[in-house]
Amino acid sequence: MDKMDMQRAAPVYIEEELESTNSKLKTMAAESGTVLIARRQLGGRGRLGRSFESPEGGIYLSYLLRPDCPAQECSGLSALTALAVHDAVFDVSGVSADIKWPNDLLLNGKKLCGILTELSFDRQGRPEVVIGIGLNLNTAPEQFPEEIKETACSLYGETGRIFDAELIIRRLVERLDHACRLWTGDHAYFLERYRSLSICRGRDVLVVHGSERRCARALEINGDMSLQVMYEDGTQESLCSGEVSLRI
Ligand code: BT5
């Protein structure tokens, strides 16, 4: 496994090809802060059993974190990650992507990045989180399969510029390190930034619960990162990211 030289305690590994960086990192019994990157994945995973297309050109990165907080407080980590990716992309390209609750980054309404955060417990019962990021960086639009051609985009496709993958990886790891260090501190700052970059608030959305679909108005992102929505009959619900997908 190649190692990237970065001034940090935990290693950053790079592989040409893996099934899934999240799956592999979980098996490595690695120290907190370890990063595993693949240039392409054969079985990239999304949420709820969905797949994440991972052709050459994208960045597929997993970050292991053993947080000093109870498991129930880990739910905000996806949001924190979305901010870190937003900032790393902005640092390198000057492009400010939108955040779509809970964990997508969009550019011109199309998906630029997906995040999959998986929580498990070590032998002592402490939480262990693998944060997976799939970022379409230099992916050519024709590399996307037909099913997602209309809904996916890459930074290259939207700007016409090719970006230095190593530079963006370095910025991303720095941003994630910084965010994870601050994680046990004040969440209010993150929440405010997340809210301000978020495109859901005040929009009409379609809430998908399994096979059921309901129209709703997205009201606010709550302090626990759930999304408060109001249905057409006036009833409200606070949605957890694990249960629903939003269609905007
Ligand atoms: C996600 O799931 O978007 C989370 C994706 C996380 C991928 C990273 S890559 C590194 C790490 N290792 C892994 O195995 N996974 C993580 P979800 O919100 O469920 O979205 C999945 C849906 O996005 C699919 O059903 C497609 O509609 C769409 N999609 C698939 N591949 C895409 C891509 N490359 N770009 C944009 N959209 C995509």
Side-chain angles (χ1 to χ4, degrees):
M1 236 183 237
D2 283 345
K3 245 187 188 174
M4 203 162 149
D5 187 24
M6 283 192 72
Q7 303 293 317
R8 66 199 289 277
V12 177
Y13 297 112
I14 303 202
E15 285 271 15
E16 267 318 297
E17 184 176 282
L18 284 173
E19 271 300 304
S20 153
T21 54
N22 265 33
S23 304
K24 174 80 179 174
L25 186 53
K26 279 192 213 170
T27 65
M28 285 169 60
E31 62 182 294
S32 188
T34 299
V35 175
L36 177 62
I37 299 162
R39 293 188 207 282
R40 49 183 188 276
Q41 295 182 121
L42 299 175
R45 294 189 290 109
R47 296 176 304 140
L48 308 170
R50 292 188 284 253
S51 63
F52 192 80
E53 298 297 330
S54 310
E56 189 108 35
I59 293 176
Y60 312 105
L61 181 151
S62 297
Y63 186 110
L64 178 77
L65 180 68
R66 299 183 206 281
D68 288 332
C69 68
Q72 57 273 24
E73 283 177 28
C74 292
S75 59
L77 277 169
S78 287
L80 201 71
T81 303
L83 282 178
V85 180
H86 170 278
D87 292 347
V89 168
F90 184 77
D91 291 344
V92 172
S93 68
V95 171
S96 177
D98 297 314
I99 293 179
K100 182 184 151 214
W101 181 92
N103 57 357
D104 285 348
L105 286 185
L106 305 187
L107 211 52
N108 302 324
K110 290 178 286 182
K111 181 159 164 170
L112 176 71
C113 171
I115 295 165
L116 171 69
T117 304
E118 297 182 292
L119 171 70
S120 55
F121 296 90
D122 67 13
R123 289 213 182 108
Q124 285 74 39
R126 287 176 307 220
E128 192 176 82
V129 185
V130 173
I131 302 167
I133 299 166
L135 173 65
N136 303 319
L137 185 69
N138 293 321
T139 323
E142 56 273 18
Q143 284 176 280
F144 292 123
E146 210 52 51
E147 318 85 79
I148 61 167
K149 271 209 167 111
E150 299 295 315
T151 55
C153 75
S154 70
L155 203 55
Y156 162 66
E158 297 305 295
T159 64
R161 290 154 61 197
I162 290 281
F163 294 90
D164 180 342
E166 190 177 317
L167 186 64
I168 210 148
I169 287 169
R170 287 182 184 279
R171 291 304 291 151
L172 188 52
V173 172
E174 282 164 17
R175 289 282 184 182
L176 287 167
D177 284 343
H178 179 68
C180 292
R181 265 200 305 277
L182 295 181
W183 175 239
T184 46
D186 180 14
H187 296 190
Y189 168 73
F190 289 112
L191 183 63
E192 261 333 292
R193 283 208 66 218
Y194 185 90
R195 282 176 171 161
S196 72
L197 291 168
S198 187
I199 51 162
C200 289
R201 292 156 79 206
R203 301 268 290 261
D204 288 327
V205 296
L206 194 61
V207 178
V208 183
H209 266 293
S211 58
E212 194 197 338
R213 280 148 202 268
R214 286 182 81 184
C215 294
R217 167 70 53 91
L219 300 178
E220 186 54 285
I221 293 153
N222 298 317
D224 62 357
M225 298 316 295
S226 61
L227 182 74
Q228 195 71 22
V229 296
M230 184 164 71
Y231 294 106
E232 284 166 327
D233 62 5
T235 56
Q236 291 196 21
E237 191 179 7
S238 110
L239 304 174
C240 290
S241 58
E243 302 170 343
V244 290
S245 284
L246 285 184
R247 304 264 184 268
I248 296 179

